[in-house]
Amino acid sequence: MDTYMEIRAAGDNAQAALYAAQTAVCTLAEQLSVTDPQSEIAAVNRANGKPTALSEDTAALLRAGLHMGALTDGALNLAIYPLTRAWGFTTGSYAIPSNEMIAALRPLTDPANITLDGSTVTLADGMMLDTGAVAKGYAGDRAIEILRKYDISSAILSLGGNILTLGTKPDGSDWVVGITDPFAPDRELCSVHVRDRAVVTSGDYERYFIADDGTRYCHILDPATGAPAQNGLSSVTVIGAQGLLCDALSTALFVMGKDRAVRFWREKQSECACPFEMILVTSDDKLLCTEGIAEVLTITRDIPLEVIRRAEER
Ligand code: ADP
Ligand code: MG
């Protein structure tokens, strides 16, 4: 998954539990890698229109990803790979594709041309999957599930910006999860007190390149344009009980921009796997958070805060 993993657990079985959780995450990372030719995703991506059998995990992840894609009106799109590849985000050889090239690749990213039948997937010829937007969230959930099986009641897991907490700290107090300042990524902008929650951030500071004209292009693409998302947000943090949902939404809400994200939070909660709260940092340096997280939010530097209420204030 091109990142670091850190898991801490407390309890009698902690050593064995950590080992089992780590093994599960590494196995998933191998299955889901888009660049490793041995992976399941690579097999799907070279199937040229033929059906491919998936493992249970990959099929479950894909099913959830397709559901979230539909729910977010295509803001999350696991078939985006032909475009991310053209922009060089997978290889690091960044390039700005021509409008003609983007127009030619966009039809190859239409999720309507993905058929998932049980655990068999068929993509239209030329299409390719990239589960990068949801894989860490899913893997985190599996790791937490394993820790629970080992009777661990206190753990924290970090998978490259995705934090998952199990229970409380060993002393019974809440976990405190810091949220990166997108304008100074080595610093913290705010923190939240949580227990049994995933805290997942997508931001434009994580992976990006700066073109000759000074424009910054980030690794999250807007499927509607085929170009890096530039909808007024610098980072989106989603907090909820399920890592997968939070990971899917952090990417999708980043693509949507502030107004659509707020509307989604107000209107679509019931269609999501679990309720969620969100923290948005706008490109003009304002902080917004939903009301369910406001009481447990601590702001670290001077920045205006707006609390988003469930019902729109008139
Ligand atoms: P990170 O991996 O930095 O934590 P995300 O969870 O937001 O961030 O995932 C971003 C990754 O998802 C990109 O690197 C790319 O592989 C893929 N991706 C980019 N745009 C989209 C999109 N609109 N829908 C689905 N996947 C995307
Ligand atoms: Mg994500």
Side-chain angles (χ1 to χ4, degrees):
M1 292 176 189
D2 196 20
T3 191
Y4 293 95
M5 159 165 67
E6 186 182 348
I7 317 180
R8 276 190 279 160
D12 292 342
N13 301 326
Q15 199 59 48
L18 286 174
Y19 184 73
Q22 179 192 335
T23 306
V25 172
C26 293
T27 303
L28 277 170
E30 280 168 21
Q31 284 173 13
L32 297 173
S33 167
V34 70
T35 47
D36 175 359
Q38 306 293 325
S39 79
E40 274 187 52
I41 295 298
V44 172
N45 289 352
R46 56 168 182 262
N48 298 324
K50 290 197 209 65
T52 311
L54 301 176
S55 65
E56 233 171 85
D57 276 315
T58 304
L61 178 61
L62 186 55
R63 183 162 298 106
L66 291 174
H67 169 69
M68 291 310 294
L71 194 62
T72 59
D73 284 327
L76 181 79
N77 182 346
L78 298 193
I80 198 86
Y81 193 57
L83 284 165
T84 39
R85 201 172 58 158
W87 283 89
F89 285 111
T90 49
T91 55
S93 330
Y94 301 121
I96 302 173
S98 65
N99 291 339
E100 291 73 26
M101 186 165 178
I102 290 177
L105 292 176
R106 280 200 53 220
L108 297 176
T109 65
D110 184 352
N113 297 323
I114 303 174
T115 312
L116 181 62
D117 182 7
S119 58
T120 301
V121 67
T122 312
L123 308 183
D125 196 10
M127 288 182 75
M128 287 183 281
L129 296 179
D130 172 7
T131 61
V134 287
K136 284 180 276 179
Y138 184 82
D141 288 336
R142 298 311 306 266
I144 294 283
E145 215 174 277
I146 288 166
L147 297 177
R148 278 189 207 282
K149 278 201 191 122
Y150 278 81
D151 286 329
I152 300 295
S153 55
S154 169
I156 188 160
L157 181 154
S158 167
L159 260 176
N162 291 22
I163 309 291
L164 286 94
T165 61
L166 170 59
T168 61
K169 286 204 253 181
D171 68 5
S173 63
D174 287 341
W175 294 104
V176 184
V177 179
I179 292 157
T180 300
D181 187 339
F183 301 101
D186 55 338
R187 266 181 270 160
E188 187 179 292
L189 177 60
C190 57
S191 61
V192 287
H193 281 243
V194 291
R195 47 180 74 185
D196 288 315
R197 286 288 177 275
V199 180
V200 179
T201 301
S202 287
D204 63 5
Y205 56 89
E206 284 172 30
R207 205 165 343 133
Y208 62 88
F209 69 95
I210 294 175
D212 295 341
D213 67 356
T215 312
R216 174 158 146 154
Y217 294 104
C218 76
H219 71 309
I220 299 174
L221 299 191
D222 184 343
T225 61
Q230 280 178 321
N231 294 321
L233 294 176
S234 278
S235 81
V236 174
T237 300
V238 179
I239 300 138
Q242 193 198 62
L244 171 60
L245 179 92
C246 295
D247 201 1
L249 283 182
S250 68
T251 307
L253 300 176
F254 183 88
V255 169
M256 288 185 194
K258 181 188 131 193
D259 294 346
R260 269 180 78 195
V262 168
R263 216 175 315 131
F264 186 94
W265 177 77
R266 285 193 180 126
E267 293 171 6
K268 300 285 186 189
Q269 293 267 350
S270 63
E271 288 165 74
C272 293
C274 61
F276 71 93
E277 303 293 334
M278 60 185 191
I279 298 170
L280 310 178
V281 184
T282 65
S283 314
D284 59 358
D285 201 22
K286 294 190 181 92
L287 187 61
L288 294 96
C289 79
T290 52
E291 61 182 345
I293 201 75
E295 306 95 85
V296 295
L297 177 79
T298 307
I299 304 176
T300 319
R301 75 154 160 85
D302 191 25
I303 181 171
L305 171 72
E306 181 190 329
V307 178
I308 305 160
R309 308 279 167 198
R310 270 185 215 286
E312 201 161 353
E313 281 159 36
R314 291 175 199 282

